[in-house]
Amino acid sequence: MLELYQQTLVDLMAKGDSTSKVRKKPLNVRQDKSGSVVIENLVEEECKSAEDLSGLVDRGNEQRTVAATEMNSESSRSHLVLIIRITSTNKDTNEVLKGKILIVDLAGSERLKKSQTTANMQKESIEINKSLTALGDVIEALTKNQKQIPYRNHKLTQLMQDSLGGTAKTLMFVNCSPASSNLDETVMSLKYAARAKKITNTAAKNAG
């Protein structure tokens, strides 16, 4: 479990542990031979039950970077990324299937004039908007079946590469504000999701 804060990947499982040696190692994004995205030096924990997973998520959320703005009292200043790897073994045939679920809680795009952020928070807002623009460019390229997909334009899209293209199934959920003052942001978010809905991939099983 990690967050993308501006251009930095932060391991949320190691962030709260001042004694962790892993915390000092940089997180690097790469792809393995099968095309799956791998984050080097990221702490992994085995969860044997839904309760274990829920507890892990709670611990990670406590370490996430948030701040108050004029639009949100607990505004996310980073993108939250949870990676769940699942291994299933058929007891009769011993066939092993491996799967991956990538859950990303995207920080919302911000207009500096409305959020009234200052100093470092302005930098956070700018980086959030840059990353969302890069993701929008990737979604646009996928829906138009372009040969070159600009995954490498941002760390966010590098992280999400195997969950947007290839054999992945992509779902996007949008949280909309009920306030009429946020109408423009709501419409923009819905348009963003409408584009994501047009991504078409062929889901496939991954044998171990």
Side-chain angles (χ1 to χ4, degrees):
M1 189 173 183
L2 64 150
E3 68 175 351
L4 176 57
Y5 176 71
Q6 297 190 28
Q7 284 283 355
T8 303
L9 295 175
V10 180
D11 189 333
L12 295 177
M13 293 295 99
K15 185 178 179 181
D17 184 359
S18 59
T19 63
S20 175
K21 294 180 180 179
V22 179
R23 183 182 178 186
K24 299 177 182 178
K25 296 181 180 180
L27 302 183
N28 301 313
V29 183
R30 66 175 179 83
Q31 282 186 290
D32 62 18
K33 294 180 180 179
S34 67
S36 179
V37 173
V38 177
I39 297 99
E40 296 176 336
N41 301 318
L42 181 67
V43 172
E44 294 186 6
E45 294 190 17
E46 182 179 359
C47 295
K48 296 183 178 181
S49 66
E51 289 75 18
D52 288 349
L53 182 58
S54 179
L56 184 148
V57 171
D58 288 342
R59 283 162 45 211
N61 270 323
E62 289 176 358
Q63 300 300 326
R64 189 177 185 183
T65 304
V66 297
T69 70
E70 289 298 314
M71 294 182 68
N72 190 340
S73 61
E74 293 185 359
S75 174
S76 302
R77 313 312 297 165
S78 66
H79 302 301
L80 183 71
V81 181
L82 174 64
I83 302 168
I84 304 172
R85 299 188 184 278
I86 302 170
T87 301
S88 174
T89 304
N90 187 312
K91 293 182 179 180
D92 294 327
T93 63
N94 289 324
E95 180 186 17
V96 177
L97 296 177
K98 294 183 179 180
K100 172 183 173 182
I101 300 174
L102 183 76
I103 300 175
V104 183
D105 181 12
L106 295 171
S109 61
E110 291 186 355
R111 296 184 183 183
L112 298 181
K113 187 175 181 180
K114 290 189 69 174
S115 62
Q116 295 186 24
T117 54
T118 58
N120 189 57
M121 287 179 64
Q122 280 194 353
K123 294 180 182 178
E124 294 171 348
S125 299
I126 291 170
E127 289 298 331
I128 289 170
N129 292 340
K130 280 183 180 178
S131 61
L132 293 175
T133 298
L135 179 57
D137 291 341
V138 166
I139 292 173
E140 184 80 6
L142 286 169
T143 56
K144 292 184 177 180
N145 295 316
Q146 294 178 5
K147 291 183 178 180
Q148 296 294 327
I149 311 297
Y151 291 116
R152 294 187 176 275
N153 285 359
H154 201 279
K155 284 186 179 179
L156 176 64
T157 47
Q158 290 180 44
L159 277 170
M160 299 178 68
Q161 182 169 346
D162 61 350
S163 300
L164 290 170
T167 59
K169 183 174 180 61
T170 305
L171 298 174
M172 181 176 286
F173 301 88
V174 180
N175 290 325
C176 296
S177 169
S180 58
S181 58
N182 294 329
L183 177 62
D184 290 343
E185 287 78 8
T186 297
V187 171
M188 183 168 61
S189 297
L190 290 173
K191 287 182 177 179
Y192 201 94
R195 283 196 298 170
K197 186 179 180 181
K198 295 178 182 178
I199 296 176
T200 54
N201 295 322
T202 302
K205 291 182 178 179
N206 294 322

